[in-house]
Amino acid sequence: MPSSFRIARSLISRVEDEATGAIKLDELFVQVPPDRMEQARASAKILGDEVFTKMPFAGATKPMAGDLTEMILNRTWRPQLAVTAMDGYPLPENGGNVLLPCTTAKLSFRLPPTCDAVKATKALKRKLEESAPYGAEVEFDAEDGQTVGTRRAWRRGWRRR
């Protein structure tokens, strides 16, 4: 019997390279405007190591990239995934040698500013739900993923009410 964690890990590996952190879906990427590339380079020169030293790394953990400009682009113009919650598991002190019947993971995708969030969400749903490992039941339920322009329009409309 496959563990629910193995299935979850397999699904996450469909959308993110676990060795590099790179997102695998083209629909989550955008072309970085040339002026933004230049701004990232200039910011890296000004900030130096502060680009990453202000981050809360544990122990000897290192950044995903070695180049400061790449670090800035990774935080601004490249999609990133964070698993922000998991359900279905006991706390470590209560865990035993048993297989768990289900796993729920909350995934948070940071999209580039000009990425179409609706298109990205559809691509994620398709990739995570298609041909589930071991015939498992997989459901992707997206919250309100929005593009920057959509969010701004909604906020403007909300303020007028």
Side-chain angles (χ1 to χ4, degrees):
M1 173 180 211
S3 78
S4 63
F5 180 79
R6 182 184 315 141
I7 293 168
R9 181 179 62 198
S10 173
L11 293 170
I12 292 169
S13 292
R14 290 179 178 188
V15 297
E16 180 196 49
D17 181 319
E18 65 272 3
T20 65
I23 299 298
K24 296 179 177 181
L25 298 179
D26 291 339
E27 294 88 345
L28 278 64
F29 285 85
V30 300
Q31 182 70 29
V32 180
D35 59 326
R36 297 295 188 228
M37 289 289 291
E38 188 52 43
Q39 289 169 354
R41 284 187 201 97
S43 296
K45 286 179 185 174
I46 293 167
L47 294 171
D49 287 350
E50 277 190 58
V51 169
F52 69 93
T53 56
K54 64 181 179 179
M55 304 306 282
F57 287 103
T61 305
K62 296 180 174 85
M64 291 171 28
D67 180 77
L68 298 175
T69 301
E70 288 301 307
M71 289 180 202
I72 290 172
L73 292 171
N74 284 343
R75 289 178 39 200
T76 56
W77 284 95
R78 303 224 173 91
Q80 297 290 317
L81 166 65
V83 178
T84 59
M86 298 280 291
D87 193 15
Y89 297 94
L91 294 172
E93 60 269 15
N94 299 329
N97 191 14
V98 297
L99 290 175
L100 303 170
C102 67
T103 294
T104 300
K106 184 170 186 174
L107 309 178
S108 176
F109 287 89
R110 189 194 44 73
L111 300 176
T114 59
C115 182
D116 182 337
V118 173
K119 181 178 163 186
T121 300
K122 286 179 182 177
L124 286 163
K125 182 174 182 65
R126 182 181 65 252
K127 193 66 170 178
L128 292 170
E129 289 184 349
E130 72 185 2
S131 303
Y134 306 102
E137 186 177 310
V138 175
E139 181 182 336
F140 175 75
D141 181 26
E143 292 180 2
D144 294 334
Q146 298 174 344
T147 60
V148 173
T150 304
R151 246 190 327 266
R152 285 186 188 135
W154 180 82
R155 286 183 184 147
R156 277 196 302 269
W158 180 76
R159 286 186 188 132
R160 278 189 231 128
R161 293 182 193 173

